[in-house]
């Protein structure tokens, strides 16, 4: 059943979509970290920003490689 794409016929999100999601995670986390919140919420925002930054590096590299191979 690995070839079954469900009702939409779509595959999973590509590297470009994952890259944009990671960028959005960084931006939103950094915006929320500027608010006056509890320490645990500030820590959660910092973890979100760090995880998003790792995602930007990882998915950005794969996106650039995928675009380079398509030409």
């Amino acid at each position: 059943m690995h070839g079954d794409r469900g009702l939409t016929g779509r595959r999973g999100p590509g590297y470009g979509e994952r890259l944009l999601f990671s960028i959005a995670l960084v931006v939103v986390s950094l915006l929320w970290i500027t608010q006056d919140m509890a320490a645990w919420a500030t820590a959660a925002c910092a973890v979100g920003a760090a995880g998003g930054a790792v995602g930007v590096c990882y998915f950005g590299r794969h996106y650039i490689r995928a675009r380079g191979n398509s030409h």
Side-chain angles (χ1 to χ4, degrees):
M1 284 283 166
H2 292 287
D4 186 20
R5 294 184 178 174
L7 297 176
T8 62
R10 277 195 61 170
R11 57 173 180 70
Y15 289 121
E17 293 167 316
R18 292 176 181 173
L19 174 63
L20 290 176
F21 181 75
S22 296
I23 292 170
L25 180 61
V26 170
V27 170
V28 169
S29 294
L30 291 177
L31 285 174
W32 272 100
I33 210 166
T34 62
Q35 301 296 314
D36 187 26
M37 299 182 294
W40 67 268
T42 303
C45 288
V47 169
V54 169
V56 167
C57 294
Y58 180 78
F59 295 124
R61 182 174 47 124
H62 283 285
Y63 178 70
I64 291 170
R65 284 185 180 174
R67 296 286 293 178
N69 290 340
S70 66
H71 294 305

